[in-house]
Amino acid sequence: QVQLVESGGGLVQTGGSLRLSCAASGRTITSYAMAWFRQAPGKEREFVSFISRSGGLTYYTDSVKDRFTISRDNAKNTVYLQMNSLKPEDTAVYYCAADSNPGNIYTTHDYYYWGQGTQVTVSS
């Protein structure tokens, strides 16, 4: 079992930055691929970014490429999402997810562990 706790969300103006953290406990995250998803009001939860167990592979949804950066510090058992040049359309609850072997990294169904989410609000 692994528990995930997100933090770092908040209210920021357009063009601002935030860094989200996902702290894991219970087991070391070296066993897990990690991802960030987000869910805006009235919308389905959507894929944002993925990082492999080693950190050697990363993927992003097109709308955040060149603005967001995912990283992991296995020694701290933590995954990060650096978000720059934020836009109002980035407003959502951001969730951290983990799985030992997600078949399709872009779908929620392939991740077993989830955090409770952290709210990100970008004002225009």
Side-chain angles (χ1 to χ4, degrees):
Q1 288 282 351
V2 62
Q3 293 78 42
L4 304 174
V5 178
E6 302 96 333
S7 62
L11 174 63
V12 64
Q13 292 185 335
T14 297
S17 298
L18 286 172
R19 188 177 81 154
L20 305 183
S21 299
C22 173
S25 61
R27 294 189 66 177
T28 174
I29 63 169
T30 54
S31 300
Y32 300 98
M34 307 291 292
W36 288 94
F37 286 76
R38 66 187 180 186
Q39 187 167 18
K43 295 187 177 181
E44 293 186 353
R45 195 170 297 188
E46 65 173 2
F47 171 82
V48 175
S49 184
F50 167 90
I51 188 165
S52 61
R53 283 178 287 184
S54 68
L57 290 175
T58 58
Y59 298 98
Y60 300 90
T61 192
D62 286 345
S63 63
V64 308
K65 282 179 182 177
D66 301 323
R67 298 189 299 121
F68 290 10
T69 303
I70 191 170
S71 62
R72 63 192 296 158
D73 186 337
N74 287 341
K76 294 184 177 180
N77 234 27
T78 301
V79 174
Y80 303 98
L81 186 68
Q82 178 67 43
M83 305 187 297
N84 299 328
S85 302
L86 283 162
K87 304 175 181 180
E89 50 263 44
D90 295 318
T91 295
V93 177
Y94 283 70
Y95 296 91
C96 177
D99 197 276
S100 58
N101 187 25
N104 182 336
I105 67 168
Y106 302 104
T107 64
T108 59
H109 301 300
D110 282 30
Y111 292 88
Y112 189 80
Y113 298 105
W114 290 85
Q116 83 292 347
T118 185
Q119 176 70 48
V120 171
T121 303
V122 184
S123 63
S124 56

